[in-house]
Amino acid sequence: MIDVKNLSKSFGDHLVLDGISQHIHPGEKVVVIGPSGSGKSTFLRCLNLLETPSAGTITFQGTVITDPKVKIDQVRQHMGMVFQHFNLFPNMTIRKNITLAPVRTGLMKQEEADELAGTLLQRVDLTDKADAYPSQLSGGQKQRVAIVRALAMKPQLMLFDEPTSALDPEMVGEVLDVMKELARDGMTMVVVTHEMGFAREVGSRVLFMADGKVLEEGPPAELFGNPQHPRLRDFLSKVL
């Protein structure tokens, strides 16, 4: 689904991503872990060109999206993104937050979008919040709405950028439960997270990043159970 070749990204003189190459296959759940400042979020944001790579190519379903001629907004309609800080529109109801993009892009009519919003809110146990505003919701509820808003576009891929790191500890579980259900339903996912339990349980493959490179990758059982790289062993000794 995604082919990344020799991806590099610099901010001024600071090299944040250093020649990363990855293939992400349909249905895979790729979980990216690593210390702060390792380039995890920048890597994720390059996948839908929220950050423009300094070098390398990214191909999404056969389209080279790093080609300047590509209409990236059309490509992004197939890639859902969930941010650390929800990014809901505060002046819109929850229903309007969910239906805005599918209606604006012509994906569906308002009536159809409203119906889908209702179905999705039921799925995350927030049916009663459709007419509420974001300020009336808890952090965990906002993040569940943010996931639903991304799903309303019927994406083929979901990108999660540390979706639980801004939440109080007791709210983390409710968001992870929604993500686990998505994974079980076969959604292709790339998740940057500090939740090692989630990486172990849900990831089909885990990437360990440090210093702008993927230093080790593999199935969770292998990566957590028998880490090879000294940086990974050191990292796991601090977080597990």
Side-chain angles (χ1 to χ4, degrees), residues 3 38 61 84 88 122 128 132 146 149 152 161 207 229 232 240:
D3 187 35
S38 57
Q61 294 191 316
Q84 193 173 340
L88 299 176
Q122 189 174 1
D128 59 333
R149 180 176 63 175
D161 188 8
L207 310 182
H229 199 284
L232 175 57
L240 292 182

Side-chain angles (χ1 to χ4, degrees), residues 9-18 54:
K9 173 67 179 175
S10 296
F11 293 104
D13 295 335
H14 182 44
L15 183 64
V16 180
L17 298 177
D18 187 4
S54 305

Side-chain angles (χ1 to χ4, degrees), residues 2-11 15-24 32 38-59 64-67 190 207 209 211-214:
I2 300 184
D3 187 35
V4 180
K5 284 187 182 154
N6 300 318
L7 176 67
S8 294
K9 173 67 179 175
S10 296
F11 293 104
L15 183 64
V16 180
L17 298 177
D18 187 4
I20 292 176
S21 294
Q22 281 291 323
H23 305 283
I24 295 163
V32 188
S38 57
K40 306 184 298 293
S41 289
T42 303
F43 170 67
L44 191 79
R45 291 168 70 87
C46 281
L47 295 182
N48 64 358
L49 258 55
L50 283 180
E51 294 288 358
T52 307
S54 305
T57 59
I58 299 169
T59 306
V64 181
I65 64 170
T66 39
D67 181 340
V190 185
L207 310 182
M209 284 186 68
D211 306 321
K213 294 179 176 166
V214 176

Side-chain angles (χ1 to χ4, degrees), residues 4-181:
V4 180
K5 284 187 182 154
N6 300 318
L7 176 67
S8 294
K9 173 67 179 175
S10 296
F11 293 104
D13 295 335
H14 182 44
L15 183 64
V16 180
L17 298 177
D18 187 4
I20 292 176
S21 294
Q22 281 291 323
H23 305 283
I24 295 163
H25 301 283
E28 257 200 310
K29 287 88 184 121
V30 178
V31 183
V32 188
I33 64 170
S36 294
S38 57
K40 306 184 298 293
S41 289
T42 303
F43 170 67
L44 191 79
R45 291 168 70 87
C46 281
L47 295 182
N48 64 358
L49 258 55
L50 283 180
E51 294 288 358
T52 307
S54 305
T57 59
I58 299 169
T59 306
F60 175 66
Q61 294 191 316
T63 301
V64 181
I65 64 170
T66 39
D67 181 340
K69 293 194 285 289
V70 166
K71 292 180 176 170
I72 190 60
D73 285 342
Q74 289 180 3
V75 176
R76 285 190 187 125
Q77 290 180 26
H78 305 289
M79 303 165 120
M81 177 110 186
V82 178
F83 300 89
Q84 193 173 340
H85 292 289
F86 329 128
N87 291 15
L88 299 176
F89 298 113
N91 59 328
M92 295 181 187
T93 63
I94 298 310
R95 184 187 283 110
K96 187 70 175 169
N97 261 284
I98 295 165
T99 61
L100 181 69
V103 172
R104 274 277 178 92
T105 57
L107 186 67
M108 53 190 87
K109 296 277 193 292
Q110 186 68 54
E111 194 178 328
E112 189 188 347
D114 285 340
E115 194 176 321
L116 178 62
T119 304
L120 290 170
L121 284 170
Q122 189 174 1
R123 182 174 172 179
V124 297
D125 201 21
L126 288 173
T127 307
D128 59 333
K129 301 297 183 188
D131 296 313
Y133 286 85
S135 60
Q136 298 169 290
L137 272 57
S138 70
Q141 290 171 330
K142 285 179 196 170
Q143 197 59 296
R144 281 185 279 159
V145 170
I147 293 172
V148 160
R149 180 176 63 175
L151 290 176
M153 288 297 290
K154 301 185 175 176
Q156 288 145 323
L157 166 75
M158 285 285 283
L159 306 173
F160 293 88
D161 188 8
E162 300 193 19
T164 58
S165 62
L167 300 179
D168 292 333
E170 67 267 23
M171 293 173 183
V172 169
E174 64 192 55
V175 173
L176 292 181
D177 285 346
V178 174
M179 293 170 66
K180 287 173 188 173
E181 191 185 317

